[in-house]
Amino acid sequence: MPATRSAVDPSLDLFAEIARLKRERKAVILAHYYQDPDIQDIADHLGDSLELAKRARDAKDADVILFCGVHFMAETAKIVNPGKTVVIPDLEAGCSLAEQCPADQLRAWKQRHPEHYVVMYINCSAATKAESDIICTSSNAERVIRAVPEGRPILFGPDKNLGAFLIKKIGRKMDLWPGACMVHETFSSQKIAALKAKHPDAKFIAHPECEDHVLQLADFVGSTSKLLEFVQKDAGRKYIVGTETGILHTMHKAAPDKQLIPVPYEDRTAACQGCNACPHMKKNTLEKIYLALRDLQPRIEMAEDVRRRALVPLERMLALG
Ligand code: 13P
Ligand code: SF4
């Protein structure tokens, strides 16, 4: 790493410096809804995993894509738009789901099930994507599964909770990889039920990365952008929001007259073992964004053969619309 990780001068106006560097670098800033409010506010485009993948693919006029999210998202940007310099504020911003399904383990699973079609959630590495037949996100998973040829058995990973939700919803059998999101699996159904009893006029809305006992309590289940849309369009006034806390910022802005209650989670023993904030998403800061634009580091790079193989299942997904 070059000498770019030095402390940032605290007297700098980071908002002004980031805006200046963004112009100079011809950069586009993409941010996920789980980013801190300040980061969401400086983004050119905010979105869920699918929307951000499309924004990255369509970033024709930019030279640089600064991806404020986690590593697999920035990697996806590089896979679909390899001609751009893709930078991420913190290279260590990972994802428990991506970590739990390395490519060699997926390859071994496929070898045990050679007749299966492999559907992988976008929360996985480029190398794991390269082993897949098609990618899905929480926005389009239902459509992707329905597009798998009838009669073809399916391996689905890495999220067993999203997989179980889809099996229930679509009624199609799938073999599931045993991965889970470290944030969504801390949500407590007992505490949610107690909160619902305290606020009988509130609807509980949840991301499909939550466990089944939590989803059973939900009035609506959807990706981050679908949850946002639901709060905007629904006639209700109060919502318990069953996903990572970052989205509350944009929800408040989009629906200022609605009351939003963050999801209650299990308290674990060690600090931050039970939390509705993703520690990976929260690694990104304005300081690191400034440094990433200044130094064009850390960059997302990958072997070209891996990129090409990972592009195939991503393009199959994107072709579904
Ligand atoms: P979506 O924004 O695509 O719903 O994904 C949620 C998530 O956990 C991203 O890591
Ligand atoms: Fe991964 Fe969960 Fe964090 Fe999303 S919220 S990036 S799935 S660990």
Side-chain angles (χ1 to χ4, degrees):
M1 191 72 53
T4 54
R5 307 292 97 187
S6 52
V8 174
D9 176 354
S11 68
L12 275 185
D13 177 345
L14 287 174
F15 292 99
E17 285 298 304
I18 289 168
R20 175 182 67 77
L21 285 167
K22 198 177 80 124
R23 276 194 309 276
E24 282 175 22
R25 299 294 194 200
K26 281 187 81 186
V28 63
I29 302 182
L30 307 183
H32 189 265
Y33 293 121
Y34 295 166
Q35 292 294 283
D36 278 338
D38 279 347
I39 300 179
Q40 293 191 42
D41 289 346
I42 61 159
D44 294 298
H45 302 292
L46 260 179
D48 67 10
S49 309
L50 180 63
E51 291 160 347
L52 294 174
K54 289 180 180 168
R55 290 287 185 189
R57 177 198 60 190
D58 299 340
K60 308 261 187 287
D61 296 334
D63 293 340
V64 173
I65 297 172
L66 171 68
F67 208 113
C68 301
V70 292
H71 191 268
F72 76 80
M73 295 179 173
E75 251 188 357
T76 302
K78 187 70 183 177
I79 295 166
V80 297
N81 204 341
K84 308 294 173 187
T85 299
V86 178
V87 287
I88 184 168
D90 191 322
L91 208 49
E92 301 291 312
C95 169
S96 65
L97 280 166
E99 275 162 32
Q100 288 162 5
C101 192
D104 57 335
Q105 290 184 26
L106 175 57
R107 217 174 296 123
W109 198 33
K110 277 168 51 178
Q111 276 162 9
R112 293 196 297 278
H113 302 278
E115 72 291 2
H116 284 56
Y117 197 81
V118 180
V119 182
M120 290 301 282
Y121 190 31
I122 197 164
N123 297 39
C124 62
S125 69
T128 296
K129 286 185 178 75
E131 296 293 332
S132 313
D133 290 308
I134 195 163
I135 302 300
C136 72
T137 75
S138 50
S139 278
N140 64 13
E142 212 181 308
R143 196 182 323 158
V144 168
I145 301 292
R146 290 189 195 281
V148 177
E150 276 299 326
R152 188 89 190 266
I154 299 174
L155 296 181
F156 184 91
D159 190 349
K160 64 177 184 204
N161 295 319
L162 174 62
F165 169 75
L166 292 166
I167 291 171
K168 240 183 173 176
K169 185 141 193 220
I170 306 173
R172 187 154 178 186
K173 191 183 163 304
M174 302 193 288
D175 285 8
L176 303 181
W177 187 263
C181 164
M182 64 192 288
V183 179
H184 289 83
E185 68 175 357
T186 66
F187 300 168
S188 159
S189 47
Q190 275 147 334
K191 289 184 181 176
I192 292 163
L195 205 53
K196 280 181 79 145
K198 196 171 154 199
H199 302 277
D201 53 336
K203 286 182 181 149
F204 173 51
I205 59 172
H207 195 281
E209 287 174 12
C210 295
E211 293 173 324
D212 181 59
H213 60 95
V214 168
L215 293 180
Q216 280 181 32
L217 298 173
D219 298 290
F220 178 75
V221 177
S223 67
T224 50
S225 51
K226 294 216 170 120
L227 297 179
L228 178 63
E229 187 184 273
F230 184 81
V231 168
Q232 285 174 279
K233 294 192 175 156
D234 184 62
R237 309 214 58 78
K238 209 190 256 192
Y239 304 87
I240 301 165
V241 182
T243 192
E244 209 268 359
T245 178
I247 196 162
L248 268 73
H249 173 66
T250 289
M251 268 183 191
H252 273 303
K253 281 172 58 172
D257 53 330
K258 308 276 173 107
Q259 189 184 337
L260 306 173
I261 306 169
V263 68
Y265 47 87
E266 287 293 358
D267 294 322
R268 307 270 165 102
T269 43
C272 216
Q273 286 292 297
C275 189
N276 59 8
C278 173
H280 296 291
M281 288 280 181
K282 294 333 193 216
K283 277 191 164 33
N284 297 332
T285 62
L286 287 180
E287 285 80 2
K288 291 178 192 172
I289 288 171
Y290 162 75
L291 292 171
L293 282 175
R294 190 190 71 181
D295 305 325
L296 296 183
Q297 292 284 349
R299 273 182 213 199
I300 301 292
E301 314 273 11
M302 73 194 75
E304 181 58 11
D305 69 310
V306 172
R307 190 197 70 78
R308 279 180 193 276
R309 287 196 297 127
L311 182 62
V312 175
L314 271 169
E315 279 186 331
R316 279 194 191 120
M317 172 188 82
L318 292 168
L320 292 177

